Amino acid sequence: MKFLHPSPQSSSRGVTILRVVFGALMVVHGLQKLMAGHAAFAASVAAMGVQKPELIAWLVIAGELGLGTLLVLGALTRVAGFLAAILFASIWFVTEAGKPLLTDASGVTAELLIIYFAISVAFVFLGPGALSLDRKLARQPARSR
């Protein structure tokens, strides 16, 4: 029955696994956009009617790469989670707002964005988990001058 009541250590390890995998997926999304070419991604952003598509495309690419990297490393995890939540909420607003949540198609509209948003918000509350730069830096004793 011990399995049904995980220890704080195993819960922290679980958060670490989720953080690293989620951050890596964000990095992969950013790399895909970067490797396909900024112009191609900016054109798809422009087709959605977004103003200043070149700037927005760079912000999305930088957000996915930068925030994803921070999450993989466990650096500024709560801040990265908060900013990632804003990023995914913004993407949802631009791409899916006004569409019904349930349709005749299988699944839920914007299901991946909803999951990414929820995971991002969870890191604001959960923190980095066991293995992270945040934890390592927090344990460093202050040096006297």
Side-chain angles (χ1 to χ4, degrees):
M1 290 314 236
K2 190 175 184 180
F3 178 77
L4 296 177
H5 303 285
S7 69
Q9 292 85 10
S10 66
S11 294
S12 185
R13 289 180 191 127
V15 170
T16 298
I17 292 167
L18 181 63
R19 175 182 48 79
V20 170
V21 170
F22 179 66
L25 288 172
M26 285 182 66
V27 169
V28 168
H29 278 263
L31 284 175
Q32 286 177 323
K33 290 173 180 71
L34 192 61
M35 294 182 77
H38 171 266
F41 181 55
S44 69
V45 172
M48 293 178 215
V50 175
Q51 298 203 5
K52 302 192 186 238
E54 290 82 18
L55 174 64
I56 298 302
W58 278 123
L59 289 173
V60 169
I61 291 169
E64 289 179 345
L65 289 173
L67 297 171
T69 300
L70 287 174
L71 287 169
V72 167
L73 297 173
L76 301 172
T77 304
R78 292 176 192 270
V79 173
F82 178 75
L83 294 175
I86 291 171
L87 174 69
F88 292 120
S90 300
I91 293 169
W92 174 84
F93 181 75
V94 169
T95 62
E96 307 295 337
K99 294 180 183 175
L101 194 59
L102 299 173
T103 64
D104 292 337
S106 64
V108 175
T109 303
E111 186 172 355
L112 188 61
L113 285 171
I114 294 167
I115 291 169
Y116 275 18
F117 173 80
I119 292 171
S120 298
V121 170
F123 286 122
V124 174
F125 295 99
L126 293 172
L131 299 172
S132 68
L133 288 177
D134 287 342
R135 294 239 186 234
K136 183 162 179 59
L137 294 174
R139 291 186 183 147
Q140 293 287 337
R143 293 182 180 152
S144 57
R145 293 182 182 198

